[in-house]
Amino acid sequence: MADASASQVLGGESLLYLTDEQLRQGIEAMFFAYRGFTADPDRILQGLSYGRAHHRAIHFIHCAPGTTVNNLLNILGVTKQSLNRVLRTLVEDGLVESRIGRADKRERHLYLTEAGDALEKQLSDAQRARMRSAYRQVGPEAVAGFKQVLEAMMDPEMQRQYQRLRENRG
Amino acid sequence: MADASASQVLGGESLLYLTDEQLRQGIEAMFFAYRGFTADPDRILQGLSYGRAHHRAIHFIHCAPGTTVNNLLNILGVTKQSLNRVLRTLVEDGLVESRIGRADKRERHLYLTEAGDALEKQLSDAQRARMRSAYRQVGPEAVAGFKQVLEAMMDPEMQRQYQRLRENRG
DNA sequence: ATTGGAATGTCAACAACGCTGACTTAAAGT
DNA sequence: ACTTTAAGTCAGCGTTGTTGACATTCCAAT
């Protein structure tokens, strides 16, 4: 069955890259690469009583300062209880500031403090270093393909979130 | 600093793809894409009292039938206690068979039962469907770039594991 | 043959981080 | 006034990772 779909030719283009074996390779590559992707921040966070959830919150608050809790909830795709637990510790520890909204006083707008910014920089420097090294090894064309595949793998809703974040930064 | 490294030109090739903003985009793409990557199997597993750890174990036992516990440990990168908990439930539920090694009776060789194979197929069909759709949308060149970047992101040890798995399947 | 080490399994405890459900407070909209 | 929305809180649970301690079994070397 796998070879049946793979041996088709569409407009003269080989579809060998769609075999089950090729797909399996991609799946395993995602698994191993994600491990590397999170390894450096994880190392920094371990022992700080923080984890990946804190890293993600810090990352997106840094990218969109003043974002509301609800907005962050949508981006991260977790429950408010789960996010709240993380935010509470970050506020208690003085890494995140939660300001009551001016227009809508129900909303809390989230900002990183100086200490929060410092940790964000430490974490993202480590993560970017690995990405930069990978990008440099393979060149711009491969990177373009990399992003295309990742975007195509996302759920449509996440695709929109992803594009919105990009637009907000120009 | 970001622009300083980005505005360098090496052999006439633009390095604009190495800006911090480009790297940040890649980081967010990995985050959102991994969510999509695991979404379909997660949906199947929820309610079965199984999780991602069970999926991963099943995947790699399927790919390398007869693999030892220690080998699986290295591939998955977790502690033996963590893996053992997962394997125990899979053996109890009749999805995995654990055979004592003939040459070295300390080793346990792991195999999927028929039921295990059925679940593996269900999970990997769902995951491959998403990969196939993404691959098809972007074409073979983008897929090649995708794999190159992922491989470059892995820790060296994981790179070796990844290549070994590929070689064992031709 | 005994000893040392390796592979495996098991028990207990703990932490991170998802989840659900129920409930409160406050403010906005109608 | 009434409903809805945003946020926070509490309690409990499940999965999956961690350490530490310990038992068993077997291979290999002394």
Side-chain angles (χ1 to χ4, degrees), chain A residues 51-54 56 79 81 85 103 105-106:
Chain A
R52 266 180 224 177
H54 300 83
R56 293 195 282 259
T79 60
Q81 293 93 329
R85 179 170 38 198
K105 293 181 189 169
R106 288 171 307 179

Side-chain angles (χ1 to χ4, degrees), chain A residues 88-107:
Chain A
R88 194 171 40 215
T89 66
L90 290 174
V91 170
E92 278 171 4
D93 296 351
L95 300 180
V96 167
E97 197 187 342
S98 170
R99 297 185 204 154
I100 293 176
R102 278 182 311 159
D104 187 337
K105 293 181 189 169
R106 288 171 307 179
E107 296 181 340

Side-chain angles (χ1 to χ4, degrees), chain B residues 67-143:
Chain B
T67 187
T68 63
V69 173
N70 229 17
N71 186 25
L72 204 50
L73 236 43
N74 289 329
I75 291 173
L76 295 175
V78 298
T79 59
K80 65 178 177 175
Q81 293 92 330
S82 199
L83 176 58
N84 192 257
R85 179 172 36 200
V86 168
L87 284 179
R88 198 188 327 144
T89 67
L90 290 174
V91 170
E92 279 171 5
D93 296 351
L95 300 180
V96 167
E97 198 187 343
S98 170
R99 297 187 203 152
I100 295 176
R102 278 183 311 160
D104 186 337
K105 293 181 189 170
R106 290 168 303 178
E107 296 180 342
R108 307 300 149 101
H109 297 272
L110 303 168
Y111 300 87
L112 292 185
T113 64
E114 274 190 34
D117 254 321
L119 180 56
E120 192 282 335
K121 178 158 172 40
Q122 198 189 349
L123 293 168
S124 73
D125 278 354
Q127 199 160 38
R128 276 200 303 264
R130 184 183 289 254
M131 292 294 277
R132 190 178 295 112
S133 161
Y135 277 20
R136 233 195 280 269
Q137 281 174 53
V138 301
E141 294 83 5
V143 169

Side-chain angles (χ1 to χ4, degrees), chain A residues 7 11 31 59 66 82 85 88 93 117 122 132 144 166-167:
Chain A
S7 60
F31 170 66
H59 174 98
S82 200
R85 179 170 38 198
R88 194 171 40 215
D93 296 351
D117 254 322
Q122 198 188 347
R132 188 179 295 111
R166 287 197 303 173
E167 286 158 14

